[in-house]
């Protein structure tokens, strides 16, 4: 996990590709002062925006703009950092980057600036992940949650539980040092009270982390049903703009359309699929195969039917076409014509049913509320921080070890209880990066974009 003794100096374009008013090249590492002198003719004053000409190796001017120098350790990465704010065109930015590389930097890998910030103790792992979450956030709620994590709200809660774990472990280990009193110390009511308090706190953290993880990952929903049932119309109604091609000719949706929308901050990945029906058309059969694949991976399948056309038997036949083991909600569409009341329908099967009209929007609120309920999403409140699946996994492992520790305590096996608590502590340490393998770090940072 330790950084190489003198990490190479890295550089990348930090602004998104394309044309913009300003483009930024970011450089980090020990060679920054040398590169600044070669490129700008001098080292700019620390933390001041200085006007400068950016020069190529053969001394021609490539661009002009602002240069800001952040000497180590007071920078994002903890190393010397130079930011060159030039004009935001891809060619001119690339010319400046090439000049920086010619002066002794190498191109940064995705997430390498954040990785260095982590390795130099500027950010813990949840904070580094929160930087990526903030940049990628799909809703105002998700952005607010990412900022809280970046400010350390999540890490602090993990840390608070970790301290209690350590306290409990020390208490048990102290008892082990006095074999003659061990049994009494382990039977101490206060000890088991503290252990139970700890499990309550871990459960509360797990619930909060789950909300944060939902804000980050969202929910995947597949729209399935016969051609012309109104799947594309439903997608458009949920997205509140036209993304799918709505047409009265059956079988128009051949490929899978993906739409990212949100319900009260919960990102919803909606997949509109090829209609369910046997087809000799090779392209459409491939569409059906992909539909099944998507359904198996989704959190929920919305089986959309035309409420005017389907009888119980045909609905049963449609359900039989869906892969086994997927969670289904039956959506009865076009109630503006069938006259059924909007909202939940008393179902004769174990599958929930909701009546809607994609055309006039009735029943959509019930459908939205139903989706949130299915995944356990509560509207993001003030204290919601952003989190990821791996955090939730680590908390669940920690909880398992604390449970095991409680069982060992009850059986008066202090040594084993202490060992379980040590493992719980290790699992929580993975969240903030206190304990983490190079493998894990590689996986996390490689998913960031270049220049971050
Ligand atoms: P898909 O093939 O399942 O994607 O179906 P579409 O969304 O393309 O809709 C097929 C036809 O049904 C179109 O003519 C839509 O305008 C119509 N349609 C969709 N939803 C409704 C609805 O709620 N009420 C009525 N009356 N027509 C609808």
């Amino acid at each position: 996990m330790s950084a190489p003794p003198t990490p190479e100096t890295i550089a990348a374009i930090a602004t998104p590709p394309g044309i913009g008013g300003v483009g930024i090249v970011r450089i980090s590492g020990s060679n920054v002062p040398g590169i600044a002198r070669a490129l700008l003719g001098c080292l700019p004053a620390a933390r001041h925006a200085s006007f400068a000409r950016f020069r190529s190796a053969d001394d021609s001017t490539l661009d002009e703009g602002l240069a800001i120098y952040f000497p180590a350790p007071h920078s994002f990465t903890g190393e010397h950092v130079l930011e060159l704010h030039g004009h935001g065109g891809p060619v001119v930015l690339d010319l400046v980057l090439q000049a920086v590389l010619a002066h002794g930097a190498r191109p940064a890998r995705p997430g390498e600036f954040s990785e260095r910030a982590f390795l130099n103790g500027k950010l813990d792992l949840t904070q580094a992940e929160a930087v990526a979450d903030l940049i990628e956030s799909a809703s105002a709620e998700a952005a607010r949650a990412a900022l809280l994590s970046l400010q350390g709200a999540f890490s602090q809660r993990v840390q608070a539980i970790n301290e209690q774990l350590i306290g409990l472990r020390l208490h048990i280990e102290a008892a082990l040092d006095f074999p003659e009193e061990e049994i009494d110390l382990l039977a101490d009511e206060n000890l088991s009270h503290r252990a139970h308090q700890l499990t309550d706190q871990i459960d509360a953290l797990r619930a909060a982390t789950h909300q944060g993880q939902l804000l980050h990952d969202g929910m995947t929903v597949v729209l399935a049903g016969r051609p012309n049932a109104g799947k594309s119309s439903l997608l458009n109604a949920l997205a509140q703009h036209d993304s799918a091609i709505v047409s009265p000719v059956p079988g128009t949706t051949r490929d899978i359309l993906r739409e990212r929308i949100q319900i009260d901050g919960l990102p919803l990945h909606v997949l509109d699929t090829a209609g369910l029906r046997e087809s000799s058309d090779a392209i459409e059969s491939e569409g059906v195969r992909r539909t099944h694949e998507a359904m198996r991976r989704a959190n929920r399948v919305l089986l959309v039917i035309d409420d005017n056309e389907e009888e119980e038997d045909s609905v049963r036949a449609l359900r039989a076409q869906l892969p086994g083991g997927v969670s289904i909600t039956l959506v009865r569409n076009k109630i503006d014509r069938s006259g059924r009341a909007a909202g939940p329908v008393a179902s004769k099967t174990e599958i929930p049913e909701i009546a809607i009209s994609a055309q006039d929007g009735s029943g959509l609120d019930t459908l939205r509320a139903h989706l949130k309920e299915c995944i356990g999403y509560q509207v993001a409140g003030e204290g919601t921080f952003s989190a990821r699946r791996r955090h939730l996994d680590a908390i669940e492992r920690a909880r398992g070890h604390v449970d095991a520790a409680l069982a060992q305590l009850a059986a008066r096996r202090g040594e084993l209880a202490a060992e379980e608590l040590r493992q719980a502590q290790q699992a929580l340490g993975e969240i903030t990066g206190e304990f983490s393998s190079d493998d894990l770090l590689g996986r996390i940072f490689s998913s960031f974009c270049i220049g971050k």
Side-chain angles (χ1 to χ4, degrees):
M1 211 187 89
S2 62
T6 38
E8 294 163 287
T9 298
I10 53 171
I13 299 170
T15 38
I19 291 176
V22 177
I24 300 176
V25 173
R26 196 189 224 180
I27 314 158
S28 178
S30 52
N31 280 348
V32 157
I35 293 174
R37 282 188 198 97
L39 197 86
L40 312 171
C42 67
L43 184 61
R47 291 177 298 280
H48 275 81
S50 319
F51 177 78
R53 294 211 158 85
F54 310 154
R55 297 186 317 206
S56 69
D58 64 11
D59 217 23
S60 59
T61 301
L62 300 170
D63 193 9
E64 53 185 31
L66 297 178
I68 311 177
Y69 171 50
F70 302 90
H74 305 295
S75 71
F76 175 68
T77 58
E79 303 173 331
H80 293 318
V81 167
L82 180 68
E83 282 186 9
L84 303 172
H85 298 216
H87 293 95
V91 174
V92 67
L93 278 172
D94 195 52
L95 286 174
V96 174
L97 176 64
Q98 292 310 322
V100 170
L101 299 181
H103 289 308
R106 71 153 169 81
R109 291 190 307 269
E112 201 171 2
F113 292 95
S114 305
E115 184 174 8
R116 289 191 177 188
F118 167 70
L119 292 172
N120 291 324
K122 285 280 166 177
L123 298 171
D124 70 25
L125 211 44
T126 56
Q127 289 173 311
E129 290 171 311
V131 173
D133 293 349
L134 182 59
I135 292 171
E136 285 155 19
S137 48
S139 65
E141 288 83 349
R144 203 174 331 122
L147 193 62
L148 263 191
S149 284
L150 179 58
Q151 289 168 341
F154 185 19
S155 312
Q156 279 158 18
R157 285 190 63 173
V158 173
Q159 206 47 44
I161 291 181
N162 226 353
E163 273 160 27
Q164 302 216 26
L165 265 174
I166 294 169
L168 207 58
R169 196 179 127 202
L170 290 180
H171 185 119
I172 295 170
E173 281 171 357
L176 298 177
D177 290 339
F178 300 97
E180 60 285 3
E181 293 162 37
E182 180 183 333
I183 300 296
D184 287 346
L185 280 166
L186 291 180
D188 184 351
E189 286 248 323
N190 179 32
L191 188 65
S192 90
H193 177 68
R194 276 169 64 192
H196 279 106
Q197 258 184 342
L198 187 62
T199 57
D200 289 348
Q201 283 173 356
I202 295 180
D203 286 346
L205 179 66
R206 177 170 57 181
T209 305
H210 183 222
Q211 294 304 314
Q213 180 251 329
L214 285 177
L215 267 184
H216 179 259
D217 293 339
M219 177 180 191
T220 305
V221 169
V222 171
L223 303 180
R226 268 191 229 289
N228 250 11
K231 298 179 294 299
S232 311
S233 305
L234 174 57
L235 173 59
N236 287 337
L238 286 172
Q240 288 164 338
H241 67 86
D242 284 354
S243 69
I245 313 153
V246 178
S247 126
V249 185
T252 39
T253 315
R254 294 197 164 183
D255 207 345
I256 299 181
L257 259 162
R258 287 157 207 276
E259 183 77 17
R260 201 174 151 145
I261 59 176
Q262 45 145 318
I263 324 176
D264 293 337
L266 171 70
L268 198 67
H269 310 278
V270 188
L271 277 61
D272 184 11
T273 60
L276 288 175
R277 63 167 185 178
E278 294 303 319
S279 172
S280 52
D281 179 332
I283 302 174
E284 196 159 291
S285 310
E286 172 58 18
V288 173
R289 193 194 62 75
R290 288 195 213 164
T291 304
H292 277 217
E293 183 65 31
M295 284 193 258
R296 277 192 211 94
R297 288 204 227 113
N299 298 103
R300 195 131 204 119
V301 172
L302 297 183
L303 178 55
V304 184
I305 60 163
D306 182 337
D307 194 40
N308 304 279
E309 293 190 357
E310 307 287 354
E311 300 297 333
E312 262 173 59
D313 284 355
S314 62
V315 172
R316 209 173 303 124
L318 272 177
R319 277 181 49 198
Q321 288 187 45
L322 303 180
V326 297
S327 310
I328 304 168
T329 298
L330 185 69
V331 178
R332 297 185 172 273
N333 188 29
K334 309 197 189 182
I335 56 164
D336 52 293
R337 282 186 18 227
S338 70
R340 191 192 289 272
V345 178
S347 170
K348 295 197 191 79
T349 66
E350 75 291 359
I351 292 180
E353 294 185 19
I354 295 172
I356 66 152
S357 164
Q359 190 159 289
D360 68 18
S362 50
L364 287 181
D365 282 348
T366 310
L367 181 59
R368 290 194 189 97
H370 169 71
L371 291 174
K372 282 190 286 182
E373 194 189 320
C374 288
I375 196 116
Y377 177 73
Q378 284 133 18
V379 176
E382 282 291 295
T384 309
F385 49 79
S386 71
R388 299 178 172 205
R389 184 74 238 174
R390 75 165 194 94
H391 302 142
L392 202 56
D393 290 345
I395 291 170
E396 279 164 6
R397 264 186 289 128
R399 175 69 159 88
H401 287 302
V402 173
D403 275 348
L406 273 170
Q408 299 293 6
L409 261 187
R412 307 283 179 263
R413 287 193 288 259
E415 205 149 324
L416 295 177
E419 170 57 18
E420 291 291 351
L421 291 179
R422 193 191 61 77
Q423 292 193 37
Q425 205 184 323
Q426 179 130 5
L428 289 185
E430 283 174 23
I431 296 177
T432 50
E434 201 181 326
F435 301 107
S436 52
S437 64
D438 287 348
D439 223 29
L440 173 71
L441 296 183
R443 243 179 303 133
I444 292 173
F445 289 108
S446 64
S447 69
F448 285 30
C449 53
I450 292 181
K452 206 188 292 172

